[in-house]
Amino acid sequence: MAPVSRAVHIGMVESLGIMQQGKTFEDFPHLAQAANRLLDDMSWWAETLKPARERLTTGVAGREQREKAVAVTA
């Protein structure tokens, strides 16, 4: 898990608009902008942490981790 500094805050106006007034996500462009910033943040973390994830699943640490998982489930 990694911290993200961005979020999409859907307020009462947007919620009621979507649920009761037939509006869609596209009717609230500020939500799309916030979502794009959040996805950019998540993409950055995914790319940054990729080498660490690969080391865990392919190297010695990955083998030890898999062996522990097998021992726990057995």
Side-chain angles (χ1 to χ4, degrees):
M1 204 180 328
V4 291
S5 60
R6 310 296 175 127
V8 180
H9 299 283
I10 302 174
M12 185 62 73
V13 171
E14 295 88 352
S15 295
L16 291 176
I18 292 170
M19 292 187 312
Q20 295 179 351
Q21 300 170 357
K23 293 188 178 189
T24 65
F25 189 76
E26 288 78 25
D27 292 320
F28 303 101
H30 63 283
L31 294 179
Q33 293 169 353
N36 284 332
R37 288 190 298 266
L38 172 63
L39 292 172
D40 287 345
D41 200 10
M42 292 172 63
S43 176
W44 182 87
W45 273 110
E47 196 62 33
T48 300
L49 295 174
K50 184 178 180 180
R53 288 192 310 272
E54 289 171 347
R55 279 194 307 273
L56 282 176
T57 58
T58 59
V60 172
R63 182 170 16 100
E64 291 171 354
Q65 190 175 32
R66 286 190 300 277
E67 289 171 356
K68 285 180 187 177
V70 169
V72 169
T73 58

